[in-house]
Amino acid sequence: MQRLSIILIMLFLSGCQFSGYRFVGYDLNTPEGVNQYVNDTIQYSYYHSKDPRPIEQIRESGIGNCTDIASYKQYLLTKAGITSYFVKGVTIDNQLHAVVMVYEDGDRWFLDNRQPFMTRTVFKDRFYNVDTREVMQ
């Protein structure tokens, strides 16, 4: 262990830079960690699909539409024991979209592949739940 520490210190002092490495410190036991992890590892690609693809396909390909990404986030949240809701909706400007909603400390939060962090709104405007037509602000 001491030898490894010395090598790492020598590399650091010599100005050696590491490239091609990805941050792996995500806390997948929190909604924030799940949101950041999935947004960082799954690239958004538009294609029309009514239902999400299987989780393994999403994970292996590293590509998904908003339905796939929301499904993957909900899967990870469920594995972490966090209750979440898959929400498919239509925005005011008539765009179909899917997000995940969680309640944390009494507040409703959305995990959206188009936002780098959890938000209280979707698209900074109103979002209509397809199933209930509830306005989510």
Side-chain angles (χ1 to χ4, degrees), residues 22-44 55-56 58-63 69 71-77 79 111-113 115-118:
R22 186 170 56 165
F23 176 70
V24 292
Y26 300 102
D27 182 359
L28 297 182
N29 292 314
T30 67
E32 296 90 347
V34 167
N35 192 55
Q36 184 179 5
Y37 171 75
V38 175
N39 285 353
D40 288 351
T41 59
I42 306 297
Q43 178 183 350
Y44 174 78
I55 296 300
E56 285 303 315
I58 299 166
R59 186 180 4 219
E60 289 173 9
S61 70
I63 296 172
I69 293 169
S71 175
Y72 189 33
K73 287 178 183 183
Q74 187 175 36
Y75 168 80
L76 292 174
L77 290 165
K79 295 287 270 182
L111 286 69
D112 187 347
N113 65 292
Q115 299 290 332
F117 43 83
M118 295 189 341

Side-chain angles (χ1 to χ4, degrees), residues 40-101:
D40 288 351
T41 59
I42 306 297
Q43 178 183 350
Y44 174 78
S45 176
Y46 175 80
Y47 53 89
H48 182 70
S49 174
K50 184 178 180 180
D51 298 313
R53 295 180 301 145
I55 296 300
E56 285 303 315
Q57 267 188 356
I58 299 166
R59 186 180 4 219
E60 289 173 9
S61 70
I63 296 172
N65 64 11
C66 59
T67 304
D68 294 335
I69 293 169
S71 175
Y72 189 33
K73 287 178 183 183
Q74 187 175 36
Y75 168 80
L76 292 174
L77 290 165
T78 301
K79 295 287 270 182
I82 300 167
T83 302
S84 61
Y85 304 90
F86 184 93
V87 181
K88 274 182 150 177
V90 180
T91 62
I92 285 181
D93 55 352
N94 218 22
Q95 294 182 16
L96 294 174
H97 194 41
V99 297
V100 175
M101 183 176 67

Side-chain angles (χ1 to χ4, degrees), residues 113-128:
N113 65 292
R114 298 180 182 187
Q115 299 290 332
F117 43 83
M118 295 189 341
T119 61
R120 290 195 170 137
T121 61
V122 179
F123 284 154
K124 298 183 177 129
D125 62 3
R126 293 183 181 168
F127 186 72
Y128 294 92

